[in-house]
Amino acid sequence: MNLKQQRRQAGLTLAQLSERAALSKGYLSKLERGLATPTIAVALRLSRALAVSLAELYPELGEAAPGTDCTTLQRRDATPLLLPQNGAGYRALAGAQAGRRMQPLLVYPPAELGAAPTLHQHAGEEFFYVLHGTVALHFADETITLGAGDSLYFDARRAHRTQSVGDEPAEALVVIAG
Amino acid sequence: MNLKQQRRQAGLTLAQLSERAALSKGYLSKLERGLATPTIAVALRLSRALAVSLAELYPELGEAAPGTDCTTLQRRDATPLLLPQNGAGYRALAGAQAGRRMQPLLVYPPAELGAAPTLHQHAGEEFFYVLHGTVALHFADETITLGAGDSLYFDARRAHRTQSVGDEPAEALVVIAG
DNA sequence: TCAAAAAGTTTCCTATAGGAAACTTTTTTG
DNA sequence: CAAAAAAGTTTCCTATAGGAAACTTTTTGA
């Protein structure tokens, strides 16, 4: 539906998009006017060719599964502190349940990086907001230091690791969209 | 690809899923074995019938647009305070740019609800975390009061409005996935 | 152990996704 | 304004999405 708008916004003609997406000009014309329904493979090619997410071309695809009530109320400190092997403790503020788009966590980065430098890496995007203290975010090629109130939004596929620096133990709110 | 696993997990047979999704049993069998590619309309019906997100059936569809660098570093108070008509001030911590899955905001709910009770409502999901003060989250049918450190994850299609209660002005971190 | 029933697969058919190219409309340019 | 080029549409064709039903395999149960 929004295909035409997205193509226009990208400044492309049907012929240009046709080449990029490896689809015929005529077929694209039909798609734009709702005269055909693409297969998911074609929709994906369009999304890549226009460098937009699928949901922007077909908003209905972006909706969460229906019937799944995603509401979760979480009182402070009401969830247990988990300490997995990589050193950073965390609290899940809402379970990573199927059908939920985001997973919010409270993260407590360790002061010292363990001997096993396992970088955290996963699909999707991550929003990192420092609540207290100072956090060093180590990426493969750079390190970013954030103080309370600072935030970083980044592609979670970039391997990363967190460290609490300074005397006060740090606390951060992390939201992952996978 | 994961269709078979998802169907099994839901405890459904091909015939049962066939009825729910209004697709033939034989065609479903082909889909599960990769012998056919569904149109987006069919993929959506499957997603609804199984009550899972599309990305769980076809992970490649869930990926963000490639080539879009979504990284944004935001220092504390480095972004302007916006005061739109509905009364709640906010700061955008990362622009709602195309291709980004989440939009993080700092929200400053008003102490008094304006005369025009415009409820906030939009597609997607919202994660609400109270940083300071106390916030009353008004929904059509209920009001939830959150203190510092409390959080609520909910379906953003439920109309809602925020209010700062108590003497200290409240501040909340909100992340929207649209 | 052997029906009988349920689950899954295959075959064959129709409707539609998608391509090639002619055609029409709009824009550019002299 | 006219000619040419570019953008978009339509026509017609082939490949495949998707349905109906027969067929095969697995499970159930006496």
Side-chain angles (χ1 to χ4, degrees), chain A residues 116-167:
Chain A
T118 45
L119 295 177
H120 199 204
Q121 188 179 14
H122 46 88
E125 299 173 10
E126 183 163 335
F127 172 67
F128 198 100
Y129 181 91
V130 177
L131 295 168
H132 303 293
T134 303
V135 177
L137 258 166
H138 300 281
F139 291 93
D141 53 345
E142 64 177 331
T143 293
I144 295 174
T145 303
L146 302 171
D150 294 346
S151 66
L152 186 74
Y153 193 115
F154 61 98
D155 186 332
R157 281 172 300 194
R158 292 177 65 192
H160 53 286
R161 196 163 43 148
T162 61
Q163 181 184 19
S164 184
V165 300
D167 37 359

Side-chain angles (χ1 to χ4, degrees), chain B residues 45-96:
Chain B
R45 273 193 275 169
L46 286 171
S47 137
R48 296 213 202 286
L50 290 167
V52 299
S53 73
L54 247 197
E56 279 165 288
L57 293 178
Y58 295 93
E60 65 274 24
L61 295 184
E63 287 175 18
T68 314
D69 183 11
C70 62
T71 303
T72 302
L73 171 62
Q74 199 61 253
R75 293 295 176 186
R76 179 176 200 168
D77 300 332
T79 177
L81 178 61
L82 302 170
L83 286 165
Q85 61 280 38
N86 63 345
Y90 68 90
R91 288 192 160 94
L93 294 180

Side-chain angles (χ1 to χ4, degrees), chain B residues 24 27 30 36-39 42:
Chain B
S24 75
Y27 179 55
K30 289 174 197 159
T37 309
T39 59
V42 164

